[in-house]
Amino acid sequence: MVDITHKYNTLREATAQAVVRTSSQKTIDAIQNDAVPKGNVFEMAKTAGLLGVKKTPELLPDCHPLPIEYAGIEYEIEGLEIVIHMTVKTIYKTGVEVEAMHGASVVALTIYDMLKPIDKGVEIRNIKLLKKSGGKSSIIFSGK
Amino acid sequence: MVDITHKYNTLREATAQAVVRTSSQKTIDAIQNDAVPKGNVFEMAKTAGLLGVKKTPELLPDCHPLPIEYAGIEYEIEGLEIVIHMTVKTIYKTGVEVEAMHGASVVALTIYDMLKPIDKGVEIRNIKLLKKSGGKSSIIFSGK
Amino acid sequence: MVDITHKYNTLREATAQAVVRTSSQKTIDAIQNDAVPKGNVFEMAKTAGLLGVKKTPELLPDCHPLPIEYAGIEYEIEGLEIVIHMTVKTIYKTGVEVEAMHGASVVALTIYDMLKPIDKGVEIRNIKLLKKSGGKSSIIFSGK
Amino acid sequence: MVDITHKYNTLREATAQAVVRTSSQKTIDAIQNDAVPKGNVFEMAKTAGLLGVKKTPELLPDCHPLPIEYAGIEYEIEGLEIVIHMTVKTIYKTGVEVEAMHGASVVALTIYDMLKPIDKGVEIRNIKLLKKSGGKSSIIFSGK
Amino acid sequence: MVDITHKYNTLREATAQAVVRTSSQKTIDAIQNDAVPKGNVFEMAKTAGLLGVKKTPELLPDCHPLPIEYAGIEYEIEGLEIVIHMTVKTIYKTGVEVEAMHGASVVALTIYDMLKPIDKGVEIRNIKLLKKSGGKSSIIFSGK
Amino acid sequence: MVDITHKYNTLREATAQAVVRTSSQKTIDAIQNDAVPKGNVFEMAKTAGLLGVKKTPELLPDCHPLPIEYAGIEYEIEGLEIVIHMTVKTIYKTGVEVEAMHGASVVALTIYDMLKPIDKGVEIRNIKLLKKSGGKSSIIFSGK
């Protein structure tokens, strides 16, 4: 684990993206009409993501435990794809990129699990960092 | 959560794939030469994956807790990509597809986290089920 | 921890109740109109309850880890009160009463936490077992 | 999750109450004479509460992880009831009300679980905030 | 993780020992007189051990999650040493030796943590398996 | 739990030691030749230790959750013994001695678990604090 005792606190923010690709418009319709048997997909996956992002240092060996001061999830539907944006903020010595990536993956996996009974062809694609600020560098990565 | 009290145990197996795309041959070389500063990438990510797969029902709301009787991770390097195969087995009433998907994502995220200091362009791609057996249907999905 | 090695599996079911008392009809209206700032109260609390019920043996020292084969949450609004019913099923050597009680308490606490910004007078009342079946005795406790 | 990056640290303290109602004086006697088969009720439930309070952000979706700097549990016996007081302190940007409520509920559930073999009529009542200080407002709620 | 899908269930039992060596008779007296400031050492450490043993597969990568059907802790004081015996039972395909070892270590660490303010010279010694039965072989290891 | 609200942050560091004693030079050779069937012992045990040290407050009742800002593991082979050094750093109000002890024990238990199939005589010895600095006192304890 990287030694961060000599670093100082700054406001850090990161947004990660995960994409869930369904195989049929029917699946997208079921989500939008709140007709998925396991429950409301967006609300349940958001809740799982809020809890999951706090578990990042329990799962990833080198992640420092840090005070997550904000976590938020947004969804966009683009054709057969659900695009998840997970944003995390902290005021701490190290960034929250991996936290955002992990949170986005938990949201995506929850959606996958909820859709599995109605769509066998769901895949998760493109878990990646979209932007980060704070620390030595602010970077905006090119879009999707 | 689906009621599985009426179901019976069968041997279930699932293999999921996650792909980590690096942005440079130097990154791949560092992994293969065990020269990544944070440690041995394949051994550390495997360990995180073995622990992570057991945490699946803690992260995904509808997943039943189940006796994971085998979990194994294999890596393949293809050009700039690391292809992760996570296989999970159980003898239980419900399958281990989501467990395999979640385990693969933890392995991929650990690799991402370990490579981040030496490669800013790493992405996770294509977390998907490759095959499953047991239960009502055995399916082999088409390759990568 | 009670030694259960000599016991045999039977279908066990338990339903527990928790009651969240709000202090104003406005709070109830906000829940029903999906106008609570923190999100959809019933969906988020259900999700937290599904995850929480699986953590029962992590929190209560003498609880055996057991295969939760069903967990479900239902809500009823009675005046200023939200009545939560948490039902849990297993096929195992010991009952799921405490699991149902713990799950109900997590649902109630999540509702409390979500309502706190809009209602300072929320209380949790009457966490109790409503009925259980399986094992040596089936009991239906008198109503609320 | 509420964004607290702009807030500043103050000393926060909260005390929550949970009430466990037994159905018989014999149960109370067994507790006071340290004659409950599962062990010393007050010591075991206190220990579970100290561990449980730290797990609050793992269970409640919107709770920020925060540095719990003190947690303490006190018991009072009033007739057939055990009154639990859980006090939590932090120096942080947000309060510890929900942490105190959750800790009190874990203590109450542990007592319930320990008494179950000797008293089938135990209920948990009145999980509520008694007082809080720090932040924008200090409030003392009216007693039990 | 070893593949155990082909194995069958038998009753498995294991007892592990951990020894906590204090540096002074005063420490032993404080424990026996229930005068340690942090609380009742034996009850608190037992509770931590009961919870800790259930977390073994969360901490040790290759441990299979398994149904712990009994866990019990016994203490003996020998001179300046506290001898902890942790016994674990399951009916499953694989043994509980490591679970017993891990549980014993959590009990020992809790005692260490509770005694630290009154005795700077505490050490943990001899965490080892005392006996196991079930599976291919029953073994009684020679004493302390 | 000790009230630390009145204390101030200082750099704290602690190193703990655990010793794993094997029963045969063949075991040591297998470790050094990376020929242990369960995988690379030092890398896997290190990973488990990095994750485990962060779980200290989940296992030990009186441990405050604190920001672990560094954790590192070193191994030395001395005859039939593996000597583990676990170092932890924080800038916080309370020390990391117990965290270092707990981390060292998780590393030792992982090694025990990995060696069990090839060596039935492995024991864990001498989990103890080697040195600490920060807080009221810096202490270097005498060697092994």
Side-chain angles (χ1 to χ4, degrees):
Chain A
M1 190 187 280
V2 172
D3 188 341
I4 58 170
T5 52
H6 61 286
K7 301 182 85 172
Y8 49 87
N9 288 349
T10 57
L11 174 62
R12 311 283 194 136
E13 181 171 348
T15 299
Q17 171 196 271
V19 176
V20 177
R21 198 186 60 97
T22 68
S23 72
S24 146
Q25 183 60 34
K26 278 186 194 163
T27 307
I28 297 293
D29 293 347
I31 295 169
Q32 288 182 315
N33 299 331
D34 199 359
V36 173
K38 285 192 169 181
N40 186 297
V41 172
F42 286 165
E43 288 290 326
M44 287 189 69
K46 179 186 74 177
T47 310
L50 290 176
L51 287 164
V53 71
K54 293 182 272 189
K55 291 179 98 58
T56 308
E58 270 192 73
L59 288 154
L60 302 190
D62 280 315
C63 278
H64 298 86
L66 52 76
I68 289 177
E69 305 198 349
Y70 172 72
I73 292 128
E74 282 176 21
Y75 302 103
E76 220 172 312
I77 289 178
E78 298 185 359
L80 295 180
E81 294 185 340
I82 303 151
V83 181
I84 300 152
H85 283 192
M86 176 98 194
T87 298
V88 182
K89 295 186 195 176
T90 191
I91 297 180
Y92 196 58
K93 302 175 172 192
T94 183
V96 282
E97 295 94 290
V98 179
E99 283 73 11
M101 298 273 290
H102 178 249
S105 88
V106 172
V107 175
L109 286 160
T110 302
I111 294 176
Y112 175 89
D113 181 52
M114 294 185 75
L115 297 182
K116 198 163 53 94
I118 62 170
D119 185 341
K120 300 297 180 208
V122 179
E123 289 185 20
I124 298 171
R125 295 200 170 173
N126 292 327
I127 305 181
K128 68 177 188 183
L129 193 62
L130 284 190
K131 61 183 176 183
K132 60 167 242 181
S133 61
K136 271 178 298 191
S137 57
S138 288
I139 302 176
I140 297 178
F141 296 88
S142 60
K144 179 185 148 199
Chain B
M1 189 188 281
V2 173
D3 187 341
I4 58 169
T5 52
H6 60 289
K7 301 183 85 173
Y8 49 88
N9 288 349
T10 56
L11 174 62
R12 311 283 195 138
E13 181 170 348
T15 300
Q17 170 195 272
V19 176
V20 177
R21 199 186 60 97
T22 68
S23 73
S24 145
Q25 183 60 35
K26 277 187 193 162
T27 307
I28 297 294
D29 293 347
I31 294 168
Q32 289 184 312
N33 300 329
D34 199 0
V36 173
K38 283 192 170 182
N40 185 298
V41 172
F42 286 164
E43 289 289 328
M44 288 189 69
K46 179 187 73 177
T47 309
L50 290 175
L51 289 164
V53 73
K54 293 182 272 189
K55 291 180 97 58
T56 307
E58 272 192 73
L59 288 154
L60 301 191
D62 280 314
C63 279
H64 299 87
L66 52 77
I68 289 178
E69 304 198 349
Y70 172 72
I73 292 128
E74 280 176 23
Y75 301 104
E76 221 173 310
I77 290 178
E78 297 185 358
L80 294 182
E81 294 186 341
I82 302 152
V83 181
I84 300 153
H85 283 193
M86 177 97 194
T87 298
V88 181
K89 294 187 196 174
T90 191
I91 296 180
Y92 196 58
K93 301 175 173 192
T94 183
V96 283
E97 295 94 289
V98 179
E99 283 73 10
M101 297 274 289
H102 178 249
S105 91
V106 172
V107 174
L109 286 160
T110 302
I111 293 176
Y112 175 89
D113 181 51
M114 293 185 75
L115 297 182
K116 198 164 53 95
I118 62 169
D119 185 341
K120 300 297 178 207
V122 178
E123 287 184 22
I124 296 171
R125 295 200 170 172
N126 292 327
I127 304 181
K128 68 177 188 183
L129 193 62
L130 286 191
K131 60 181 179 187
K132 60 167 240 180
S133 62
K136 271 179 297 191
S137 57
S138 288
I139 302 176
I140 298 180
F141 296 88
S142 60
K144 183 187 145 197
Chain C
M1 190 187 280
V2 173
D3 188 341
I4 58 170
T5 50
H6 60 287
K7 301 182 87 173
Y8 49 87
N9 288 350
T10 57
L11 173 62
R12 313 280 196 138
E13 181 170 349
T15 300
Q17 171 195 269
V19 176
V20 177
R21 199 186 59 96
T22 68
S23 72
S24 146
Q25 184 59 36
K26 277 186 194 162
T27 307
I28 298 293
D29 293 346
I31 294 169
Q32 288 183 313
N33 300 329
D34 199 359
V36 174
K38 283 192 169 183
N40 187 297
V41 172
F42 286 165
E43 288 290 327
M44 287 189 69
K46 180 186 74 175
T47 310
L50 290 175
L51 288 164
V53 72
K54 293 182 272 189
K55 292 179 97 60
T56 308
E58 270 193 73
L59 288 155
L60 301 191
D62 280 313
C63 278
H64 298 86
L66 52 76
I68 290 177
E69 305 198 348
Y70 172 72
I73 291 128
E74 281 175 21
Y75 303 103
E76 222 172 310
I77 290 177
E78 297 184 0
L80 295 182
E81 294 184 342
I82 303 151
V83 181
I84 301 152
H85 283 193
M86 177 99 193
T87 298
V88 181
K89 295 186 196 176
T90 192
I91 296 180
Y92 197 57
K93 302 176 173 191
T94 184
V96 282
E97 296 94 289
V98 180
E99 282 73 11
M101 298 273 289
H102 179 249
S105 91
V106 171
V107 175
L109 286 160
T110 303
I111 294 176
Y112 175 89
D113 181 51
M114 293 185 76
L115 297 181
K116 198 162 52 94
I118 62 170
D119 185 341
K120 300 296 179 208
V122 179
E123 287 184 23
I124 297 170
R125 296 201 169 172
N126 292 326
I127 303 181
K128 69 176 187 184
L129 193 62
L130 285 191
K131 61 181 177 185
K132 60 166 238 179
S133 62
K136 272 178 296 190
S137 57
S138 287
I139 302 176
I140 297 179
F141 296 89
S142 60
K144 182 186 144 196
Chain D
M1 190 187 281
V2 173
D3 187 340
I4 58 170
T5 52
H6 61 287
K7 301 182 86 173
Y8 48 87
N9 289 349
T10 58
L11 174 62
R12 311 283 195 136
E13 181 170 349
T15 300
Q17 171 195 269
V19 176
V20 177
R21 198 186 60 96
T22 68
S23 73
S24 148
Q25 184 60 36
K26 276 187 195 161
T27 308
I28 298 293
D29 294 347
I31 294 169
Q32 288 183 313
N33 300 331
D34 198 0
V36 173
K38 283 193 170 182
N40 186 297
V41 172
F42 285 165
E43 288 289 328
M44 286 188 71
K46 179 186 75 176
T47 310
L50 290 175
L51 288 164
V53 73
K54 291 181 273 188
K55 292 179 97 60
T56 306
E58 269 192 73
L59 288 153
L60 302 190
D62 280 314
C63 278
H64 298 86
L66 52 76
I68 290 178
E69 304 199 348
Y70 172 72
I73 292 130
E74 281 176 21
Y75 302 104
E76 222 172 310
I77 290 177
E78 297 185 0
L80 294 181
E81 294 186 342
I82 303 152
V83 181
I84 300 153
H85 283 191
M86 177 98 194
T87 299
V88 181
K89 295 187 195 175
T90 191
I91 297 180
Y92 196 58
K93 302 176 173 190
T94 183
V96 282
E97 296 94 290
V98 179
E99 282 73 10
M101 299 273 289
H102 178 249
S105 89
V106 172
V107 175
L109 286 160
T110 303
I111 293 176
Y112 174 88
D113 181 52
M114 294 185 76
L115 296 181
K116 198 163 54 94
I118 62 169
D119 185 341
K120 300 295 178 208
V122 178
E123 287 185 22
I124 297 170
R125 294 201 169 173
N126 292 326
I127 304 181
K128 68 176 188 183
L129 193 62
L130 285 190
K131 62 183 177 184
K132 61 166 239 179
S133 61
K136 271 179 295 190
S137 57
S138 288
I139 302 176
I140 297 179
F141 296 89
S142 60
K144 180 187 148 195
Chain E
M1 189 187 283
V2 172
D3 187 341
I4 58 170
T5 51
H6 60 288
K7 300 183 87 174
Y8 50 87
N9 288 350
T10 56
L11 174 62
R12 312 283 194 136
E13 181 170 349
T15 300
Q17 170 195 271
V19 176
V20 177
R21 199 186 61 96
T22 68
S23 73
S24 144
Q25 183 60 35
K26 277 187 194 162
T27 307
I28 297 294
D29 293 347
I31 295 169
Q32 289 184 314
N33 300 330
D34 199 1
V36 173
K38 284 192 171 182
N40 186 297
V41 173
F42 286 164
E43 289 289 328
M44 288 189 69
K46 180 186 74 176
T47 309
L50 290 175
L51 288 163
V53 72
K54 292 181 273 188
K55 292 179 98 57
T56 307
E58 268 193 74
L59 288 154
L60 302 191
D62 280 314
C63 278
H64 299 87
L66 52 77
I68 289 178
E69 304 197 351
Y70 172 72
I73 292 128
E74 281 175 22
Y75 302 104
E76 222 173 309
I77 290 177
E78 297 184 359
L80 295 181
E81 293 185 343
I82 302 152
V83 181
I84 300 152
H85 284 192
M86 177 98 193
T87 298
V88 182
K89 295 186 196 175
T90 192
I91 297 180
Y92 197 58
K93 302 177 173 190
T94 182
V96 282
E97 296 95 289
V98 178
E99 283 73 10
M101 297 274 289
H102 178 249
S105 91
V106 171
V107 175
L109 286 160
T110 303
I111 294 177
Y112 175 89
D113 181 51
M114 293 185 76
L115 297 181
K116 198 162 55 92
I118 62 169
D119 184 341
K120 300 296 179 209
V122 178
E123 287 184 22
I124 296 171
R125 294 198 170 175
N126 292 326
I127 304 182
K128 68 177 187 183
L129 192 62
L130 285 191
K131 60 183 178 184
K132 60 166 240 179
S133 61
K136 272 179 296 191
S137 57
S138 287
I139 302 175
I140 298 178
F141 296 88
S142 59
K144 181 186 147 197
Chain F
M1 190 188 279
V2 172
D3 187 341
I4 58 170
T5 51
H6 60 288
K7 300 182 87 172
Y8 48 88
N9 288 350
T10 57
L11 174 61
R12 312 283 195 137
E13 182 171 349
T15 300
Q17 171 196 271
V19 176
V20 176
R21 198 187 60 96
T22 68
S23 73
S24 146
Q25 183 60 34
K26 278 186 194 162
T27 308
I28 297 294
D29 292 347
I31 296 169
Q32 289 183 313
N33 300 330
D34 199 359
V36 174
K38 284 193 171 182
N40 186 298
V41 173
F42 285 165
E43 288 290 327
M44 287 188 70
K46 179 186 75 177
T47 309
L50 289 175
L51 288 163
V53 72
K54 291 181 273 189
K55 291 180 99 58
T56 307
E58 269 192 75
L59 288 153
L60 302 190
D62 281 313
C63 279
H64 299 86
L66 52 76
I68 289 178
E69 305 197 348
Y70 172 72
I73 292 130
E74 282 176 20
Y75 302 104
E76 221 173 309
I77 290 177
E78 298 185 0
L80 294 182
E81 294 185 342
I82 303 152
V83 181
I84 300 152
H85 283 193
M86 176 97 193
T87 297
V88 181
K89 295 186 195 176
T90 191
I91 296 179
Y92 196 58
K93 302 175 172 193
T94 182
V96 282
E97 295 94 292
V98 179
E99 282 73 12
M101 298 274 289
H102 178 249
S105 90
V106 172
V107 175
L109 286 159
T110 302
I111 293 176
Y112 175 88
D113 181 51
M114 294 185 74
L115 297 181
K116 199 163 53 95
I118 61 169
D119 184 342
K120 299 296 178 208
V122 178
E123 288 184 21
I124 297 171
R125 295 200 169 172
N126 293 324
I127 304 181
K128 69 178 189 182
L129 193 63
L130 285 190
K131 60 182 179 184
K132 59 166 240 179
S133 62
K136 272 180 297 193
S137 57
S138 287
I139 301 177
I140 297 179
F141 295 88
S142 60
K144 181 186 146 197

